[in-house]
Amino acid sequence: MLTRVCILFLMSILHNLIHRIPPALSLKALGETLRMTQELTNNKLKSLNQNGSDPFNEMKHRFLSFKKNKFLEDLECFQNLANGQAPKFMVIACADSRVCPSTILGFQPGEAFMVRNVANLVPPVENGPTETNAALEFAVNALEVENILVIGHSCCGGIRALMSMEHEENSSSFIRSWVVVGKNARSSTKAVASNLSFDQQCRHCEKESINRSMVNLLTYPWIQERVAKEVLSIHGGYYNFVDCTFEKWTLDYHESSSEGKSGKFSLKDREFWC
């Protein structure tokens, strides 16, 4: 409201200037008035940001834009989705706010069943129930997805927490108690990359933990059975958001299954997208 009053006041001044001073000076006055108006607007926006604007207001506009430009434009598709889903992918990704599979890989509604957790880890079946294996059970047994994709990423805080652990004993920290799921990835990283810097070790472990999660998937009988029948494939992906590249690979079941529990595995179909 204040900005609007100021702008009207400045416009009144501008009107008087235009009629009272020579044309050359009028143009100069016009430029000065526009500059002052822009400064007032910028100060108003800066004040709103400093005082804290309602984040849900922007969210509301995004939703209404989605409804207008996506939902209503493709109404038949969304009506079909209201009756059921048949995604081809089950995606396990990190909870990191910088890593959104739908944004990075362009998944549309109905294309991927997703679960996100700290460090995109998959616990082995013997660890007991978690929200991750509950989602896996539904995706594999009910939705009958054809692909499971585990997506890791650069600069992962969960992996740094894992690599920073001195011991694996029980901890009151929920984060430590969860990331210990990746202890095999940590051990193998320490074994082969101990001469590297801590940051480089973390980078190695970010990818190694994906592979260990892929192997852990085979500890679930209903996953192992479908992979053996070649109606389900297990894939790994690594998103580097520093240089915006993506690596993708596939678990070679027939080369890995016999020794999967020993931690040995084989990969195939590597691709690098840049």
Side-chain angles (χ1 to χ4, degrees):
M1 183 66 182
L2 179 61
T3 301
R4 183 179 179 185
V5 171
C6 292
I7 292 174
L8 290 174
F9 176 72
L10 289 170
M11 289 179 66
S12 176
I13 294 175
L14 174 62
H15 180 271
N16 291 332
L17 286 170
I18 291 174
H19 288 83
R20 294 181 182 181
I21 61 180
L25 293 178
S26 294
L27 290 175
K28 182 178 180 181
L30 175 61
E32 183 66 12
T33 303
L34 291 175
R35 183 188 65 78
M36 294 172 65
T37 303
Q38 184 63 50
E39 285 183 358
L40 282 170
T41 303
N42 291 341
N43 289 337
K44 180 67 175 178
L45 291 174
K46 183 178 180 180
S47 176
L48 283 173
N49 291 333
Q50 290 177 341
N51 295 332
S53 57
D54 182 3
F56 285 97
N57 189 47
E58 176 64 24
M59 193 179 297
K60 171 187 174 182
H61 289 298
R62 292 178 185 177
F63 169 74
L64 294 176
S65 175
F66 159 77
K67 182 175 182 179
K68 176 182 178 182
N69 300 314
K70 297 287 187 178
F71 184 87
L72 294 178
E73 288 292 325
D74 201 2
L75 188 58
E76 183 179 357
C77 173
F78 285 98
Q79 288 177 333
N80 290 334
L81 288 175
N83 295 323
Q85 58 176 323
K88 301 291 186 184
F89 282 88
M90 165 70 192
V91 175
I92 301 164
C94 186
D96 194 301
S97 64
R98 299 165 292 183
V99 186
C100 177
S102 294
T103 299
I104 299 164
L105 300 177
F107 287 117
Q108 299 301 307
E111 292 183 348
F113 193 80
M114 296 190 191
V115 64
R116 298 176 68 176
N117 63 46
V118 174
N120 44 269
L121 298 172
V122 177
V125 67
E126 59 264 25
N127 280 31
T130 66
E131 78 286 351
T132 299
N133 47 35
L136 278 166
E137 183 179 37
F138 183 73
V140 173
N141 293 337
L143 298 178
E144 298 184 341
V145 296
E146 298 174 5
N147 302 278
I148 299 176
L149 174 60
V150 182
I151 303 176
H153 67 93
S154 57
C155 308
C156 182
I159 295 299
R160 291 187 73 87
L162 172 65
M163 292 298 296
S164 300
M165 292 173 57
E166 294 297 332
H167 305 286
E168 297 173 2
E169 70 270 9
N170 291 332
S171 169
S172 59
S173 167
F174 292 121
I175 295 175
R176 286 173 61 91
S177 297
W178 169 250
V179 297
V180 75
V181 168
K183 62 183 180 181
N184 288 338
R186 177 181 180 273
S187 296
S188 61
T189 296
K190 291 290 187 181
V192 303
S194 59
N195 60 319
L196 301 179
S197 68
F198 180 72
D199 286 344
Q200 291 172 320
Q201 289 182 33
C202 287
R203 176 70 177 270
H204 184 280
C205 192
E206 285 165 357
K207 296 183 179 181
E208 182 66 12
S209 68
I210 298 169
N211 294 332
R212 299 292 171 167
S213 286
M214 293 165 67
V215 172
N216 284 347
L217 286 167
L218 294 177
T219 66
Y220 296 87
W222 28 273
I223 291 180
Q224 191 272 341
E225 179 183 359
R226 293 182 66 83
V227 173
K229 293 180 179 178
E230 299 184 351
V231 294
L232 176 63
S233 298
I234 297 175
H235 313 274
Y238 181 82
Y239 170 52
N240 186 333
F241 55 67
V242 176
D243 58 12
C244 195
T245 57
F246 194 90
E247 298 176 55
K248 172 265 175 190
W249 58 90
T250 299
L251 182 69
D252 190 335
Y253 170 74
H254 296 291
E255 294 294 328
S256 305
S257 58
S258 61
E259 299 179 307
K261 292 186 177 180
S262 67
K264 296 181 180 179
F265 52 87
S266 180
L267 306 174
K268 63 180 182 179
D269 300 336
R270 282 186 174 273
E271 297 181 21
F272 186 79
W273 307 339
C274 61

